[in-house]
């Protein structure tokens, strides 16, 4: 089996989509094993987004992730890392396929791809790393 870190980003929480988003992950068959509402800190986000430090979108991304509460969750199941990313859809919600979380609930609100509702780990290594950042 496998575990992944899922974040419902501040836009998802602000738009009251947390339940709908988590329900889709559960409905696909993955098991919720940890759940917490969190206010991120700059320090946590710097660790979480270390691969993006220095990119032009990094500072705006961190400010966005600090703009309101988020929900952090761990889901478990065979191939859950790839399965969740498939369910989340493409990074850009404008072009994310209908049927995906980003495709159905997301759009460009003026910042292109920044407000895309969810984060999901992209490998076993990053899942372990990110779970260690958000959960003790
Ligand atoms: P995550 O699951 O959130 O990691 O999304 P991802 O793996 O599909 O995207 P990536 O790791 O490349 O980027 C992380 C996040 O940074 C994205 O989800 C977006 O919120 C934001 N982002 C990525 N690229 C851009 C960009 O070009 N401009 C802006 N404004 N934000 C970006
Ligand atoms: Mg990513």
């Amino acid at each position: 089996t496998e575990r992944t870190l899922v974040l419902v980003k501040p836009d998802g929480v602000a738009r009251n989509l947390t339940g709908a988003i988590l329900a889709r992950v559960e409905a696909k068959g993955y098991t919720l094993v940890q759940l917490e509402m969190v206010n991120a800190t700059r320090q946590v986000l710097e660790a979480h987004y270390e691969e993006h430090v220095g990119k032009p979108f990094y500072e705006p991304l961190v400010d966005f992730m600090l703009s309101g509460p988020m929900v952090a969750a761990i889901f478990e199941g065979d191939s859950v890392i790839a399965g969740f990313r498939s369910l989340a859809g493409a990074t850009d919600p404008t072009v994310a396929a209908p049927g995906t979380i980003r495709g159905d609930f997301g759009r460009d609100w003026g910042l292109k791809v920044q407000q895309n509702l969810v984060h999901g780990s992209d490998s076993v290594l990053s899942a372990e790393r990110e779970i260690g950042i958000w959960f003790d």
Side-chain angles (χ1 to χ4, degrees):
T1 194
E2 207 172 80
R3 289 181 169 208
T4 195
L5 178 83
V6 170
L7 299 176
V8 180
K9 295 183 178 181
D11 57 330
V13 173
R15 291 179 56 211
N16 299 325
L17 291 169
T18 302
I21 289 168
L22 297 178
R24 284 193 176 205
V25 189
E26 288 194 299
K28 191 170 167 76
Y30 300 124
T31 301
L32 181 63
V33 295
Q34 293 271 5
L35 183 68
E36 192 181 9
M37 189 150 222
V38 286
N39 290 288
T41 63
R42 223 167 254 285
Q43 191 182 351
V44 159
L45 291 169
E46 190 169 318
H48 177 78
Y49 281 130
E50 69 175 8
E51 67 184 306
H52 297 309
V53 172
K55 293 184 186 173
F57 64 84
Y58 174 74
E59 290 294 341
L61 174 63
V62 168
D63 288 341
F64 162 61
M65 297 289 279
L66 290 170
S67 68
M70 275 189 296
V71 167
I74 301 174
F75 278 94
E76 187 174 274
D78 292 333
S79 302
V80 65
I81 294 169
F84 175 79
R85 286 181 68 87
S86 165
L87 186 61
T91 304
D92 181 350
T94 297
V95 300
T100 66
I101 292 166
R102 289 164 172 168
D104 286 350
F105 298 143
R107 51 163 280 198
D108 179 358
W109 297 96
L111 293 162
K112 290 283 281 184
V113 311
Q114 190 177 97
Q115 291 156 286
N116 60 2
L117 298 156
V118 289
H119 164 83
S121 310
D122 62 10
S123 68
V124 173
L125 215 65
S126 31
E128 282 171 7
R129 193 179 70 82
E130 292 170 2
I131 285 169
I133 292 169
W134 294 90
F135 294 92
D136 301 315

